[in-house]
Amino acid sequence: MSYLSVILIAVIEAMDCFAVATSIGLGRSGVSRLKATVLALSFGFFQGGMTLIGFFSGTLAKHWIHDLGSIIACAILCLLGAKFILEAFRKKEDEHKIADLSLASIVILSLATSIDALTIGISFAFVEIDMVFATIAISLAAILFGILGFEIGNRAARFFKSNLPQIIAGIILIAIGIKTIWQPLMP
């Protein structure tokens, strides 16, 4: 998998972090920048960690389903992309708002936003990829988008009512999935 594909996946994975951080910035103006930074760092830790857990889990399973690897990676990415698109149409305006930003809330939000990273990690086991680069890219994207989302939400109040970015993210994941299955077929 190319570095550009990995970067696109990292950015897409960070979109959930961005959405959560933006809604916290929008709805919780009393949240300090320190807590927002802790949230962003937690996003990065969980995104990178879940990607690695998925990769190692997929690597163990790879021995049993070696010939189906590209198909499985394609299916996972396409299903994840479809999930992004469907969720974009189902989202309600206040869906991600939380009552408190305690340490427990930060961990729960980080875990919830990193479930998709586990799936991505599993798909990485079936393609040729630099996992060090992928893990760092996914972690850094989550941190940066978490900080950026909070700042934008804090400053922009109610400008983010469109789900178009999440729909585009889903389309990109599907395209990367199709590319994953298409590449082994190319001479």
Side-chain angles (χ1 to χ4, degrees), residues 66-138:
H66 183 268
D67 294 334
L68 301 175
S70 295
I71 295 169
I72 291 170
C74 175
I76 289 171
L77 290 169
C78 288
L79 288 172
L80 191 58
K83 179 181 170 248
F84 269 58
I85 293 168
L86 288 173
E87 284 179 356
F89 288 109
R90 292 183 186 158
K91 269 192 182 168
K92 295 178 181 150
E93 187 176 328
D94 295 335
E95 186 174 88
H96 292 294
K97 291 190 180 179
I98 58 172
D100 184 22
L101 195 59
S102 65
L103 186 57
S105 296
I106 289 172
V107 170
I108 290 167
L109 287 170
S110 298
L111 185 60
T113 58
S114 67
I115 298 300
D116 293 342
L118 180 71
T119 308
I120 292 292
I122 292 170
S123 71
F124 283 170
F126 298 100
V127 295
E128 190 173 320
I129 190 165
D130 179 351
M131 272 311 290
V132 172
F133 177 78
T135 304
I136 291 171
I138 287 171

